[in-house]
Amino acid sequence: MEKHLIDRLTSPIHRFTKQAKSGGIVLGINVIIALVLANSPWSEHYFHFFEHHLGFTFDGKTYLDMPLHHWINDGLMALFFFVVGLELKREIVAGELSNPRKALLPIGAAIGGMLVPAIIYISLNPTGEAHGGWGIPMATDIAFSLGVLYLLGNKVPISLKVFLTALAIVDDLGAVLVIAFFYTSEISLANLGIGLGMLFILYLGKRIGIRHVLFYALIGAVIWCAFLLSGVHATIAAVLIAFMIPTDVQMKENEYVHNIQSYLKKFKRLDPNNKIPTLTEKQLHLLEKINVDTRRSIPPLQRLEHAMHPFVTFIVIPIFALANAGVSLSIDVEQLFSTNIALGVALGLFFGKVIGVAGFTVFMVKVLKLSPYPRGMNFRNLVGLGLLAAIGFTMSLFVTTLAFKNPLYMDQAKIGIFAASILGGTLGYMVLNGKGNRTNKNEKIEVSESEE
């Protein structure tokens, strides 16, 4: 079938967005753009742009009047955390975290990868305002780290990709808990009560079988506003809302397969030789039935995750990077090291992640003997994964905005994040690309659509 011009133009974009590494590439480009703008003659305009206020006025009163920077970090990033929550629930219900034995190693590696960086940072910044940044080096950027790993293609076993994915998801859960308990301002119990009450309504809706996305979207918006006004970070609301999304289906797989086969046979009989240029009414009716049954056979959680993932990956996270990654590199060495923030973040991410991830995994396998290594894993590629876990970009930058209000401290933290992330990503790629990590040709490898 001949492609139209618009199809030929959009096809490369469509193929690019389907690749697992694409999100990391787009994020990297936006980080570079932010750095260039922050160090260009337009730097003043760049920083000032995100200070413009946006709010709503009703009856002479202004509500939710916040700068664009705040809207991005509390609004757009709530969508990011919502998708993170959907991924977490899916993994817990039916993914890598659903089997306690299989989940043990990545959970242990993630805990080590959070504790050791925090300890390194705190040892260098034991007191004062700088101490508050201990949560920054605990985070791993799942999109960027997996993007680098997928660049290696079949040079690394599928088991490593699964391990890093599970590790990064547990790491995200840890970051969410850290934000909830340690980076929350003064709490308004009234607004928090409203938020929790509406969350209970979502729970009841799920229990009685409400599956329409609009129900969860409307009440979710109220919960987000309530949490925002309560002092608890609004992104926590997004994760809690995600956990309320149903995971069950209205039509089981066997019934779905039987129905679809029946519909297709009827569809083919209506125009077996494809002589009618358009569809008949009966064909349209059958296609509508296929659409309805397909929708009933997909859990709302996975439908939402599938629909929102591209938007979050290619719109939300790049905008966040554009708004937060800009840091002036004209800062002199004396200013950069006026505190140990940059050093604590850089060393915490780079050494802390490697020691934590690899060290805890080896301890669990060799000493505690709780679980064997995943198939295809050895110490070399375990260190490689630890290096990739040192890529902290998105989540580390986000925690930075919560930890510090002093622009100098924020710049110091960002430089530490960039240094560790670039070094960790580069060395991680080199270690995993080494001869010792070539996948055995006799090993059966399943290549997902995202890797093709």
Side-chain angles (χ1 to χ4, degrees):
M1 186 176 178
E2 186 181 351
K3 283 187 176 181
H4 293 291
L5 176 60
I6 188 65
D7 295 325
R8 290 199 296 270
L9 291 174
T10 58
S11 181
I13 298 172
H14 182 71
R15 286 199 304 271
F16 176 78
T17 57
K18 290 294 180 184
Q19 295 178 10
K21 59 192 175 187
S22 302
I25 293 171
V26 174
L27 174 60
I29 291 171
N30 277 268
V31 168
I32 292 169
I33 292 172
L35 285 170
V36 169
L37 288 174
N39 293 277
S40 71
W42 306 288
S43 61
E44 188 176 336
H45 299 289
Y46 163 73
F47 289 113
H48 180 66
F49 176 78
F50 294 106
E51 293 172 3
H52 287 292
H53 277 243
L54 179 66
F56 304 96
T57 302
F58 180 76
D59 199 20
K61 293 183 179 179
T62 303
Y63 301 91
L64 298 177
D65 183 23
M66 302 183 293
L68 284 178
H69 196 272
H70 200 165
W71 273 108
I72 291 168
N73 290 356
D74 283 4
L76 275 183
M77 285 301 283
L79 296 177
F80 166 75
F81 277 91
F82 178 71
V83 172
V84 167
L86 293 176
E87 291 175 346
L88 278 170
K89 185 173 182 180
R90 173 174 51 78
E91 290 294 330
I92 291 168
V93 170
E96 289 300 314
L97 303 181
S98 62
N99 185 323
R101 184 170 175 80
K102 286 175 66 178
L104 207 55
L105 273 187
I107 289 175
I111 291 172
M114 289 185 283
L115 289 179
V116 178
I119 291 169
I120 290 174
Y121 182 92
I122 291 171
S123 67
L124 292 169
N125 298 277
T127 58
E129 188 181 346
H131 176 78
W134 59 269
I136 298 170
M138 293 176 69
T140 292
D141 189 308
I142 185 170
F144 225 118
S145 57
L146 285 175
V148 174
L149 191 62
Y150 276 91
L151 284 173
L152 293 161
N154 291 339
K155 293 177 182 177
V156 293
I158 292 292
S159 59
L160 262 67
K161 298 173 185 178
V162 172
F163 185 86
L164 183 60
T165 301
L167 183 154
I169 287 171
V170 176
D171 190 283
D172 280 349
L173 176 60
V176 168
L177 293 175
V178 166
I179 292 168
F181 291 109
F182 300 103
Y183 290 106
T184 293
S185 55
E186 293 182 11
I187 296 175
S188 165
L189 293 178
N191 285 309
L192 183 60
I194 292 171
L196 293 175
M198 297 303 287
L199 196 67
F200 183 67
I201 291 175
L202 276 193
Y203 173 75
L204 289 178
K206 184 184 76 150
R207 294 292 295 176
I208 64 175
I210 297 176
R211 303 168 63 81
H212 203 291
V213 170
L214 187 61
F215 169 78
Y216 294 93
L218 292 176
I219 296 182
V222 177
I223 295 171
W224 176 82
C225 287
F227 270 68
L228 181 68
L229 297 172
S230 74
V232 176
H233 204 274
T235 53
I236 303 304
V239 176
L240 294 175
I241 294 166
F243 271 78
M244 295 298 112
I245 305 298
T247 56
D248 59 328
V249 295
Q250 291 175 299
M251 181 178 287
K252 299 295 183 182
E253 291 178 24
N254 291 340
E255 184 184 355
Y256 174 73
V257 170
H258 177 268
N259 288 357
I260 295 299
Q261 287 175 342
S262 174
Y263 295 148
L264 290 176
K265 286 177 183 177
K266 292 177 183 178
F267 187 90
K268 190 174 183 179
R269 282 200 300 266
L270 291 169
D271 185 17
N273 299 317
N274 198 22
K275 289 182 179 180
I276 306 173
T278 60
L279 297 175
T280 67
E281 284 296 323
K282 288 184 178 180
Q283 283 178 316
L284 283 172
H285 186 60
L286 284 169
L287 289 178
E288 191 175 310
K289 283 185 175 181
I290 290 173
N291 187 41
V292 170
D293 282 4
T294 300
R295 192 171 184 83
R296 293 179 68 201
S297 66
I298 302 174
L301 180 139
Q302 286 182 285
R303 192 164 67 242
L304 269 174
E305 184 186 351
H306 181 74
M308 293 185 65
H309 199 276
F311 178 75
V312 167
T313 301
F314 298 106
I315 303 295
V316 173
I317 296 178
I319 289 176
F320 170 79
L322 200 60
N324 290 277
V327 55
S328 175
L329 299 178
S330 60
I331 182 172
D332 59 42
V333 177
E334 189 176 334
Q335 270 190 315
L336 179 61
F337 295 107
S338 60
T339 69
N340 286 330
I341 291 174
L343 205 59
V345 170
L347 296 181
L349 270 173
F350 186 75
F351 290 107
K353 285 291 182 182
V354 176
I355 296 169
V357 170
F360 271 57
T361 303
V362 170
F363 182 74
M364 292 174 72
V365 172
K366 299 293 186 182
V367 180
L368 299 181
K369 300 187 185 299
L370 294 175
S371 175
Y373 282 130
R375 187 164 61 101
M377 179 179 281
N378 55 44
F379 184 73
R380 179 191 174 101
N381 54 34
L382 181 58
V383 171
L385 291 183
L387 287 165
L388 293 188
I391 302 174
F393 278 126
T394 306
M395 199 67 86
S396 291
L397 287 171
F398 185 78
V399 176
T400 298
T401 65
L402 302 178
F404 300 127
K405 300 302 177 190
N406 186 323
L408 176 61
Y409 290 177
M410 292 179 73
D411 285 350
Q412 290 172 343
K414 288 176 184 179
I415 290 173
I417 293 167
F418 295 150
S421 298
I422 293 169
L423 191 58
T426 303
L427 289 179
Y429 180 89
M430 291 170 65
V431 169
L432 291 170
N433 197 35
K435 291 181 180 179
N437 291 294
R438 304 290 184 188
T439 302
N440 190 327
K441 291 181 180 179
N442 297 321
E443 182 185 357
K444 185 180 178 182
I445 294 177
E446 298 174 4
V447 181
S448 65
E449 180 183 346
S450 63
E451 292 175 64
E452 291 176 347

